[in-house]
Coordinates of all heavy atoms in Angstrom, one line a residue:
Y7 N 2.9 5.2 12.4 CA 3.5 6.0 11.3 C 4.7 6.8 11.9 O 4.4 7.5 13.0 CB 2.5 6.9 10.6 CG 1.5 6.1 9.8 CD1 0.4 5.5 10.4 CD2 1.6 5.8 8.5 CE1 -0.5 4.7 9.7 CE2 0.8 5.1 7.7 CZ -0.3 4.5 8.4 OH -1.2 3.7 7.6
F8 N 5.8 6.9 11.3 CA 6.9 7.7 11.9 C 7.8 8.2 10.8 O 7.7 7.7 9.6 CB 7.7 6.8 12.9 CG 8.3 5.6 12.3 CD1 9.7 5.7 11.9 CD2 7.7 4.4 12.1 CE1 10.4 4.6 11.4 CE2 8.3 3.3 11.5 CZ 9.7 3.4 11.2
A9 N 8.6 9.1 11.2 CA 9.6 9.8 10.3 C 10.9 9.3 10.6 O 11.3 9.2 11.8 CB 9.5 11.3 10.4
A10 N 11.7 9.0 9.6 CA 13.1 8.6 9.8 C 13.9 9.1 8.7 O 13.4 9.3 7.5 CB 13.2 7.0 9.9
A11 N 15.2 9.3 8.9 CA 16.1 9.9 7.9 C 16.3 9.0 6.6 O 16.4 9.4 5.5 CB 17.5 10.2 8.5
D12 N 16.3 7.6 7.0 CA 16.6 6.7 5.8 C 16.0 5.3 6.2 O 15.6 5.0 7.3 CB 18.1 6.6 5.5 CG 18.9 6.4 6.8 OD1 18.5 5.6 7.6 OD2 20.0 6.9 6.9
R13 N 16.2 4.4 5.2 CA 15.6 3.1 5.4 C 16.3 2.2 6.5 O 15.6 1.6 7.3 CB 15.6 2.3 4.2 CG 14.7 2.7 3.1 CD 14.8 2.0 1.7 NE 13.7 2.4 0.9 CZ 13.4 1.9 -0.2 NH1 14.2 0.9 -0.7 NH2 12.4 2.3 -1.0
T15 N 17.7 3.3 9.2 CA 17.2 3.9 10.6 C 15.8 3.4 10.8 O 15.5 2.9 12.0 CB 17.3 5.4 10.5 OG1 18.6 5.8 10.3 CG2 16.8 6.0 11.9
A16 N 14.9 3.4 9.8 CA 13.6 3.0 10.0 C 13.5 1.5 10.3 O 12.8 1.2 11.2 CB 12.8 3.3 8.7
W19 N 14.6 1.0 14.0 CA 13.6 1.5 15.0 C 12.3 0.7 14.9 O 11.8 0.4 16.0 CB 13.2 2.9 14.7 CG 14.2 3.9 14.9 CD1 15.4 3.8 15.5 CD2 14.1 5.4 14.5 NE1 16.1 5.0 15.5 CE2 15.3 6.0 15.0 CE3 13.1 6.1 14.0 CZ2 15.5 7.3 14.8 CZ3 13.4 7.5 13.7 CH2 14.6 8.1 14.2
G38 N 13.6 8.3 19.9 CA 13.3 9.7 19.7 C 12.6 10.0 18.4 O 12.7 11.1 17.9
A39 N 11.9 9.0 17.9 CA 11.1 9.2 16.6 C 10.0 10.1 16.7 O 9.3 10.1 17.8 CB 10.8 7.8 16.1
D40 N 9.7 10.8 15.7 CA 8.4 11.6 15.6 C 7.4 10.5 15.0 O 7.6 10.1 13.9 CB 8.6 12.7 14.6 CG 7.4 13.6 14.6 OD1 6.3 13.4 15.3 OD2 7.4 14.6 13.8
W41 N 6.4 10.2 15.8 CA 5.5 9.1 15.3 C 4.1 9.3 15.9 O 3.9 10.0 16.8 CB 6.1 7.7 15.8 CG 6.0 7.4 17.2 CD1 6.7 7.9 18.2 CD2 5.0 6.5 17.8 NE1 6.4 7.3 19.4 CE2 5.3 6.5 19.3 CE3 4.0 5.7 17.4 CZ2 4.6 5.8 20.1 CZ3 3.3 5.0 18.3 CH2 3.6 5.0 19.6
E104 N 7.5 1.9 3.4 CA 7.9 3.3 3.2 C 6.9 3.9 2.4 O 6.5 3.4 1.3 CB 9.3 3.3 2.5 CG 9.7 4.7 2.3 CD 11.1 4.8 1.7 OE1 11.4 4.1 0.8 OE2 11.9 5.7 2.1
L105 N 6.3 5.1 2.8 CA 5.4 5.9 2.1 C 6.1 6.6 1.0 O 7.2 7.1 1.2 CB 4.6 6.8 2.9 CG 3.8 6.1 4.1 CD1 3.1 7.2 4.9 CD2 2.9 5.0 3.7
P106 N 5.5 6.8 -0.2 CA 6.2 7.7 -1.2 C 6.3 9.1 -0.6 O 5.4 9.6 0.0 CB 5.1 7.7 -2.4 CG 4.3 6.4 -2.1 CD 4.2 6.2 -0.7
D107 N 7.4 9.7 -1.1 CA 7.6 11.1 -0.6 C 6.5 12.0 -1.2 O 6.1 13.0 -0.6 CB 9.0 11.6 -1.1 CG 10.1 11.1 -0.2 OD1 9.9 10.6 0.9 OD2 11.2 11.2 -0.6
A108 N 5.9 11.6 -2.4 CA 4.8 12.4 -2.9 C 3.6 12.3 -2.0 O 2.9 13.4 -1.8 CB 4.5 11.9 -4.3
W109 N 3.4 11.3 -1.3 CA 2.3 11.2 -0.3 C 2.6 12.1 0.9 O 1.8 12.8 1.4 CB 2.1 9.8 0.2 CG 1.4 8.9 -0.8 CD1 1.3 9.0 -2.2 CD2 0.7 7.7 -0.5 NE1 0.6 8.0 -2.7 CE2 0.2 7.2 -1.7 CE3 0.4 7.1 0.8 CZ2 -0.6 6.0 -1.7 CZ3 -0.3 5.9 0.6 CH2 -0.8 5.4 -0.5
R110 N 3.9 12.0 1.3 CA 4.3 12.9 2.5 C 4.0 14.3 2.1 O 3.4 15.1 2.9 CB 5.8 12.6 2.8 CG 6.3 13.6 3.8 CD 7.8 13.8 3.7 NE 8.2 14.4 2.4 CZ 9.4 14.3 1.9 NH1 10.4 13.7 2.5 NH2 9.7 14.9 0.7
D111 N 4.4 14.7 0.9 CA 4.3 16.2 0.5 C 2.9 16.5 0.3 O 2.4 17.6 0.7 CB 5.0 16.4 -0.8 CG 6.5 16.1 -0.6 OD1 7.0 16.1 0.5 OD2 7.2 16.1 -1.6
A114 N 1.4 16.9 3.8 CA 1.9 18.1 4.4 C 1.3 19.3 4.0 O 1.2 20.3 4.6 CB 3.4 18.1 4.3
G151 N 0.3 16.9 10.2 CA 1.3 17.4 11.0 C 2.6 16.6 11.0 O 3.7 17.2 10.8
L152 N 2.4 15.3 11.0 CA 3.6 14.4 10.9 C 4.3 14.6 9.6 O 5.5 14.7 9.5 CB 3.2 12.9 11.1 CG 4.3 12.0 10.9 CD1 5.4 12.0 12.1 CD2 3.7 10.5 10.9
A153 N 3.5 14.6 8.5 CA 4.0 14.8 7.2 C 4.7 16.1 7.0 O 5.8 16.2 6.4 CB 3.0 14.7 6.1
S154 N 4.2 17.1 7.6 CA 4.8 18.5 7.4 C 6.1 18.6 8.2 O 7.1 19.1 7.7 CB 3.8 19.5 8.1 OG 4.3 20.8 8.0
R155 N 6.2 17.9 9.5 CA 7.4 17.9 10.1 C 8.5 17.1 9.4 O 9.7 17.5 9.4 CB 7.2 17.4 11.6 CG 6.3 18.4 12.5 CD 6.3 17.9 13.9 NE 5.7 16.5 14.1 CZ 4.4 16.2 14.2 NH1 3.5 17.2 14.0 NH2 4.0 15.0 14.4
A156 N 8.0 16.0 8.8 CA 9.0 15.1 8.1 C 9.5 15.9 6.8 O 10.7 15.8 6.6 CB 8.3 13.8 7.7
R157 N 8.7 16.6 6.1 CA 9.1 17.3 4.9 C 10.0 18.4 5.3 O 11.1 18.6 4.7 CB 7.8 17.9 4.2 CG 8.2 18.6 2.9 CD 7.0 19.1 2.2 NE 6.4 20.1 3.0 CZ 5.3 20.8 2.6 NH1 4.7 20.6 1.5 NH2 4.8 21.7 3.4
G158 N 9.7 19.1 6.4 CA 10.5 20.2 6.9 C 12.0 19.7 7.3 O 12.9 20.4 7.1
A159 N 12.0 18.5 7.8 CA 13.3 17.9 8.3 C 14.0 17.2 7.2 O 15.1 16.6 7.4 CB 13.0 17.0 9.5
G160 N 13.4 16.9 6.1 CA 14.0 16.2 5.0 C 14.0 14.7 5.2 O 14.8 14.0 4.7
T161 N 13.1 14.3 6.1 CA 13.0 12.8 6.3 C 11.9 12.2 5.6 O 11.0 12.8 4.9 CB 12.8 12.6 7.8 OG1 11.6 13.3 8.3 CG2 14.0 13.1 8.7
H162 N 11.7 10.9 5.6 CA 10.7 10.1 5.0 C 9.7 9.5 6.0 O 10.0 9.4 7.1 CB 11.4 9.0 4.2 CG 12.5 9.3 3.3 ND1 12.4 10.0 2.1 CD2 13.9 9.4 3.6 CE1 13.5 10.4 1.6 NE2 14.5 10.0 2.4
L163 N 8.5 9.1 5.4 CA 7.5 8.5 6.3 C 7.5 7.0 6.2 O 7.6 6.4 5.0 CB 6.2 9.1 6.0 CG 5.9 10.5 6.4 CD1 4.5 11.0 6.0 CD2 6.2 10.8 7.9
Y164 N 7.3 6.3 7.3 CA 7.3 4.9 7.2 C 6.1 4.5 8.1 O 5.6 5.1 8.9 CB 8.6 4.3 7.9 CG 9.7 4.7 7.1 CD1 10.5 5.8 7.4 CD2 10.2 3.8 6.1 CE1 11.6 6.2 6.6 CE2 11.4 4.1 5.4 CZ 12.0 5.4 5.7 OH 13.1 5.7 4.9

Side-chain angles (χ1 to χ4, degrees):
Y7 291 85
F8 64 98
D12 52 38
R13 289 177 173 189
T15 301
W19 290 355
D40 184 0
W41 72 284
E104 181 178 40
L105 304 181
D107 284 343
W109 283 25
R110 175 203 62 198
D111 297 345
L152 177 66
S154 181
R155 292 186 302 273
R157 182 179 64 180
T161 59
H162 310 281
L163 290 180
Y164 299 88

